[in-house]
């Protein structure tokens, strides 16, 4: 989000509260009737329970950092929703990394619903021994039913028909890839349907060159199934738009949470995508060409 909307500011305050460094009164951004659903520690149904839940996610003596990517904000006459990926670390002598997805809903300018899907953890898991850890394999009978987000019902793209003040072209171009990543990572095939043009061509190792929406979607579906902890964090690095031709080029960096910065604090990316998008008659940007190029790249003060 390039604009600092009131919803994004309240979302940022929630993240600060979660990592334990907020100085704001929670009543200024959380509703009294807030509900929280989390895959790693269950559900809460009041502001006091939610605050207690968030404060006890991490050891009180630990150092915590939570980072956000793949952010999409949509507003209707009834509500504002923010969809985002997160990754973070908590350190107390040793460190554990974690990440997942979330959907935050605001009504009357206050957050009244939070869904947190913890997707993966890596490191010293004794620091989060009170969590229900995500599975690193396909679900089997008698496994816990721990999903907080069911994308087919919860993803913000499924309820944005009456969207107010559509985002800028730059934001919607980035959103096209975020939608693709969400669909892949949460195995929501329905979201793929509008992600690609009918004659799209993508080159994605190890799948190779895929041609046409049918081959792309069927291959991505098969690729995702045995890998439940998959997650694609990304950051737009360059966007070039030609509205006369109704095309755009997007260069996007692939973030690896445990290696998101170099020793000097500069952003680094394990790979990047080169993506061509087309603007449809319904004013939606869709992926037409996409190439995945492995190999580390870095930015200097936010620029390549």
């Amino acid at each position: 989000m390039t604009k600092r909307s009131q919803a994004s500011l309240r979302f940022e305050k929630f993240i600060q509260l979660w990592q334990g460094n907020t100085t704001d009164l929670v009543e200024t951004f959380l509703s009294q009737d807030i509900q929280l659903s989390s895959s790693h520690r269950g559900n809460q149904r009041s502001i006091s329970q939610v605050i207690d839940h968030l404060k006890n996610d991490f050891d009180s003596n630990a150092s915590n950092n939570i980072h956000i990517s793949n952010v999409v904000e949509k507003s209707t006459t009834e509500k504002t929703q923010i969809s985002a990926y997160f990754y973070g670390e908590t350190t107390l002598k040793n460190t554990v990394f974690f990440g997942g997805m979330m959907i935050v809903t605001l009504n009357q300018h206050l957050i009244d619903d939070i869904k947190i899907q913890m997707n993966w953890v890596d490191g010293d898991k004794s620091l989060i021994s009170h969590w229900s850890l995500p599975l690193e394999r396909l679900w089997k009978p008698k496994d816990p039913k721990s999903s907080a987000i069911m994308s087919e019902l919860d993803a913000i793209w499924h309820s944005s028909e009456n969207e107010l003040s559509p985002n800028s072209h730059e934001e919607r171009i980035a959103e096209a890839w975020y939608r693709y990543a969400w669909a892949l990572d949460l195995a929501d095939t329905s979201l793929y349907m509008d992600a690609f043009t009918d004659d799209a061509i993508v080159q994605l190792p190890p799948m190779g060159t895929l041609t046409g929406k049918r081959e792309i979607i069927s291959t991505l579906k098969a690729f995702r199934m045995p890998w439940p902890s998959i997650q694609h964090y990304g950051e737009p690095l360059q966007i070039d738009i030609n509205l006369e031709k109704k095309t755009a080029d997007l260069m996007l960096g692939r973030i690896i949470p445990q290696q998101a910065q170099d020793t000097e604090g500069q952003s680094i990316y394990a790979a990047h995508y080169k993506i061509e998008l087309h603007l449809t008659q319904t004013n939606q940007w869709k992926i037409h060409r996409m190439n995945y190029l492995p190999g580390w790249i870095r930015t200097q003060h936010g620029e390549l």
Side-chain angles (χ1 to χ4, degrees), residues 85-180:
Y85 281 13
F86 65 89
Y87 61 95
E89 65 273 352
T90 181
T91 301
L92 188 67
K93 294 185 179 179
N94 295 325
T95 298
V96 63
F97 298 89
F98 55 88
M101 308 85 170
M102 65 173 67
I103 299 173
V104 173
T105 302
L106 297 92
N107 277 297
Q108 301 298 318
H109 307 296
L110 293 175
I111 298 173
D112 72 352
D113 189 83
I114 301 169
K115 294 180 172 62
I116 300 175
Q117 181 70 37
M118 198 64 65
N119 200 41
W120 58 269
V121 297
D122 182 36
D124 186 355
K125 297 176 184 177
S126 68
L127 297 174
I128 50 172
S129 59
H130 56 306
W131 289 14
S132 176
L133 299 182
L135 297 173
E136 297 180 356
R137 54 168 173 76
L138 290 176
W139 185 87
K140 295 180 180 180
K142 298 184 180 181
D143 280 343
K145 304 177 182 69
S146 60
S147 178
I149 295 176
M150 182 177 180
S151 182
E152 290 83 352
L153 297 177
D154 299 325
I156 64 175
W157 293 278
H158 292 309
S159 59
S160 61
E161 294 84 359
N162 301 316
E163 184 180 357
L164 300 175
S165 303
N167 294 329
S168 68
H169 282 293
E170 287 81 2
E171 290 168 316
R172 287 157 50 208
I173 287 165
E175 180 188 333
W177 188 86
Y178 294 155
R179 177 180 180 141
Y180 150 78

Side-chain angles (χ1 to χ4, degrees), residues 228-266:
S229 61
I230 191 173
Q231 191 155 4
H232 290 76
Y233 299 90
E235 181 178 352
L237 303 177
Q238 183 174 329
I239 299 176
D240 297 309
I241 303 172
N242 188 326
L243 288 179
E244 184 177 346
K245 294 183 178 180
K246 295 185 177 182
T247 63
D249 293 309
L250 166 65
M251 183 176 179
L252 184 138
R254 176 76 186 277
I255 300 170
I256 302 299
Q258 297 92 326
Q259 296 174 278
Q261 293 183 332
D262 63 17
T263 56
E264 298 178 352
Q266 299 297 329

